[in-house]
Amino acid sequence: MSTIYEALLRIEELYNCKNMTDTADLLGMPKNTFYDNKRKAKADFDKIQELENETNPIKRDILKKAISNNKQKHYSNALYHQFIELAIKDNLNLNWIFNGDLPIHNDSSEKIAKIVQSHYLKEYVTDDTVAVPYFQDIKASAGNGYFNSEDDEPDFIVLPKTMIKGKNINALRVHGDSMAPNIKPDSIIFIDLSKKKLKKACVYVVRYEDEVYVKRLEELDDHILLRSDNISYSTITAKKEDVHIIGQVVNSMSTGNIE
C-alpha cells in the first residue's frame, strides 16, 4: 500500500491541481487544515524514504518506531475520509488512489463499498483487536434447519483479541432456540474453521442435508448425533458421510446491536 502522501499526489495529478488551495477545495477541507495535514503526510513520507535508505540497524529501529507511532494520527484519518468522499462522488477506484492499481474509475458503485470497508478496517484494527468475517445474512440454525446461500459476502466485526482465540475465525448469527439457554436466539457465534475434529459434547456448526446447524455432536458407531441443549428439540441422527463439519464454536455473544 502506498503512503497517504503518495495517494494525495495521485489525486492532485489526476485533477490537475496547480497548488495546495486547489487541492483543499477539491477535498472540501479548510485551507489551513489541509496545509497542515499535507505537511505531516510529507514528513512521514520522508521518514519512510529515509528508512528504506538507512543501513544502521539502530537508526532503522528508531525510524520504524517513529513511523509506527504515526499510523493513527488524526491527519491520516482526515485525509483518508476525504479521499473516500471524493471516490464516492466521482466513482474513483480506491485501489488506484491507495495503491496505484488501474483502472482509475470503478465500473460500479458497489465496488467502492467493499474497498471502503477494507480501508476503514485498517483504521480500527490495532495490535489489540482483530477483524472477524461476519456473515450476518447466513444463519446457523439452532432449530430445525435453515437454508443458507454460499454467495454472501461477509461484513466484519472488530473485537478485542482477548475475546477471540484462533487464526481462522468466522462469525454467524444463530437462528432459533434449540441451543438455549447456552446460546440464545440471534446470538453471534464465533467458529474456528480449523477445528473440524469431532470432540464429544463440543458445539459445532455443520452442514447436513443442505441445511446449516449449530449442535453438540456425538459419535455413535457410523453415525453422528446432532444434539440440542433445549430439551424441547429431538436429536438428529445422521450418517457420518452426510455431515460436513464447518468448524467448532469457540465463543458466542448475545447482542442486538450488530447489524
Side-chain angles (χ1 to χ4, degrees):
M1 181 176 175
S2 302
T3 65
I4 194 77
Y5 182 70
E6 290 171 295
L8 180 58
L9 293 181
R10 271 191 284 275
I11 288 173
E12 289 182 324
E13 182 178 2
L14 176 67
Y15 287 89
N16 195 28
C17 297
K18 302 297 185 183
N19 49 53
M20 287 198 289
T21 300
D22 288 347
T23 313
D25 291 342
L26 173 70
L27 296 177
M29 299 179 72
K31 294 180 177 60
N32 289 339
T33 301
F34 173 71
Y35 297 163
D36 187 52
N37 288 346
K38 184 172 182 178
R39 177 182 59 80
K40 292 176 180 177
K42 178 64 163 61
D44 280 352
F45 173 76
D46 290 341
K47 287 189 181 74
I48 292 171
Q49 295 300 303
E50 186 179 351
L51 174 63
E52 291 178 353
N53 296 320
E54 182 58 65
T55 57
N56 185 303
I58 296 176
K59 290 183 178 179
R60 284 184 60 85
D61 187 55
I62 293 172
L63 285 168
K64 284 180 180 179
K65 289 180 180 178
I67 293 168
S68 177
N69 290 337
N70 283 338
K71 283 184 178 178
Q72 299 299 324
K73 285 198 171 181
H74 175 72
Y75 86 84
S76 179
N77 292 338
L79 288 173
Y80 270 126
H81 178 76
Q82 296 310 123
F83 292 170
I84 290 168
E85 291 294 320
L86 181 65
I88 293 172
K89 180 174 72 73
D90 291 352
N91 201 30
L92 293 177
N93 177 6
L94 280 179
N95 277 327
W96 173 78
I97 292 177
F98 292 115
N99 304 315
D101 297 337
L102 295 174
I104 294 175
H105 293 87
N106 286 307
D107 295 330
S108 70
S109 59
E110 291 182 0
K111 294 183 180 179
I112 292 180
K114 293 300 177 185
I115 301 169
V116 166
Q117 176 175 257
S118 68
H119 284 285
Y120 269 131
L121 280 176
K122 292 175 184 176
E123 295 299 316
Y124 289 106
V125 175
T126 68
D127 291 339
D128 299 319
T129 59
V130 61
V132 177
Y134 171 44
F135 296 85
Q136 64 175 329
D137 293 326
I138 296 181
K139 299 178 182 179
S141 175
N144 294 319
Y146 193 97
F147 180 75
N148 295 279
S149 168
E150 296 182 347
D151 297 327
D152 293 87
E153 293 281 348
D155 292 316
F156 290 87
I157 306 174
V158 179
L159 297 168
K161 284 184 177 178
T162 54
M163 182 178 174
I164 301 298
K165 303 296 183 183
K167 295 182 179 180
N168 196 5
I169 305 295
N170 276 198
L172 297 179
R173 187 182 291 275
V174 170
H175 173 77
D177 64 351
S178 77
M179 296 304 291
N182 294 309
I183 301 176
K184 298 177 181 178
D186 288 328
S187 293
I188 306 301
I189 56 173
F190 300 95
I191 308 142
D192 190 332
L193 303 182
S194 67
K195 293 185 176 181
K196 299 181 185 294
K197 186 176 180 180
L198 195 151
K199 295 182 180 179
K200 185 177 180 180
C202 286
V203 180
Y204 293 86
V205 174
V206 301
R207 181 176 288 278
Y208 171 63
E209 292 186 344
D210 292 326
E211 310 288 348
V212 174
Y213 293 88
V214 51
K215 300 290 182 185
R216 293 192 188 276
L217 301 188
E218 182 180 342
E219 282 188 283
L220 182 64
D221 300 325
D222 59 346
H223 289 76
I224 292 180
L225 305 181
L226 282 65
R227 296 190 181 277
S228 301
D229 287 353
N230 187 336
I231 60 174
S232 299
Y233 288 81
S234 301
T235 297
I236 299 172
T237 303
K239 292 182 179 180
K240 284 184 179 180
E241 61 266 26
D242 294 334
V243 178
H244 171 68
I245 297 177
I246 296 172
Q248 183 180 337
V249 177
V250 294
N251 207 342
S252 67
M253 178 169 61
S254 179
T255 175
N257 296 325
I258 300 177
E259 295 295 346

